[in-house]
Amino acid sequence: MLKRMVSRFFGLDSEIQDLRRQVRELSWDSPFGMWTRNAFLQFCHVMPRDVRWIAFIDMNKIHEFNEELGYTEVDRRIKETFSVPFRRSDVVARWYSGDEIVILFDADEEGARRKIEQLVESAAEQGMTFYAEQGQWEVGKVTIEDPVDELADKVAKQKKEMAR
């Protein structure tokens, strides 16, 4: 009670509310309709120990699409691609750049595979394609970055092989 009164008196209450709003905005990537990398890492940090399925997705030709269609249209297409229904407990987020996305599934291997198949179809409807790899993450034994890096390396190898 006293804390709130002091905050209001010194004008800190509105500043605190503004900072809370900024944190929420920085956690959600509105153009893509998914979580940011930092928000994803926070979710993973508090994840209970278990084995979870993850996917690393690298969208194809995003730079070319940006030049041809414009950033807003590409953002719309990516958002639409990932608007397929996910479980409430699945976490979808941008990774590093605009064309890398990670998914933490609350499903078994078969459920994760089916979701990737749905995403392939959804991307095709938007005129887009991607490379994807899936794997397991042993929560609490290794950080999420380790299996994501391994999956990213596999995707990079796939892309090199296809470019030949």
Side-chain angles (χ1 to χ4, degrees):
M1 178 77 152
L2 179 63
K3 186 176 171 182
R4 243 185 267 151
M5 287 175 49
V6 170
S7 291
R8 279 192 202 130
F9 179 75
F10 288 107
L12 297 176
D13 197 41
S14 64
E15 189 173 338
I16 289 169
Q17 293 306 317
D18 187 48
L19 288 171
R20 286 183 178 155
R21 181 190 53 75
Q22 287 179 28
V23 167
R24 281 192 305 274
E25 288 175 2
L26 292 172
S27 296
W28 185 254
D29 186 311
S30 293
F32 276 28
M34 60 184 66
W35 296 105
T36 64
R37 183 176 190 272
N38 286 336
F40 179 83
L41 292 172
Q42 286 300 314
F43 287 124
C44 292
H45 184 70
V46 298
M47 191 71 44
R49 287 184 181 266
D50 200 356
V51 175
R52 302 286 299 266
W53 280 91
I54 58 172
F56 179 85
I57 295 173
D58 191 349
M59 303 298 295
N60 293 324
K61 301 182 181 179
I62 294 300
H63 302 293
E64 291 91 337
F65 285 141
N66 280 333
E67 289 177 8
E68 179 184 330
L69 305 169
Y71 290 95
T72 303
E73 175 61 16
V74 173
D75 288 352
R76 187 199 66 74
R77 288 179 184 213
I78 291 174
K79 187 174 189 174
E80 188 62 31
T81 295
F82 286 89
S83 69
V84 299
F86 283 92
R87 292 179 181 202
R88 193 181 301 228
S89 50
D90 291 341
V91 182
V92 181
R94 289 178 77 163
W95 194 239
Y96 281 118
S97 65
D99 62 349
E100 297 169 339
I101 295 160
V102 291
I103 304 172
L104 177 63
F105 293 103
D106 188 16
D108 59 11
E109 181 179 10
E110 180 63 22
R113 186 190 57 73
R114 280 194 311 269
K115 186 55 63 181
I116 295 297
E117 289 172 358
Q118 282 183 320
L119 288 169
V120 167
E121 291 173 16
S122 183
E125 291 171 7
Q126 298 302 316
M128 304 182 92
T129 61
F130 60 81
Y131 287 93
E133 281 290 335
Q134 297 176 82
Q136 289 184 321
W137 173 39
E138 293 184 66
V139 182
K141 288 192 177 184
V142 296
T143 65
I144 188 66
E145 289 94 334
D146 292 341
V148 169
D149 288 345
E150 289 174 19
L151 296 175
D153 289 344
K154 289 180 180 180
V155 165
K157 287 178 186 172
Q158 280 183 8
K159 290 181 96 166
K160 280 184 185 175
E161 288 175 15
M162 293 304 291
R164 291 182 195 172

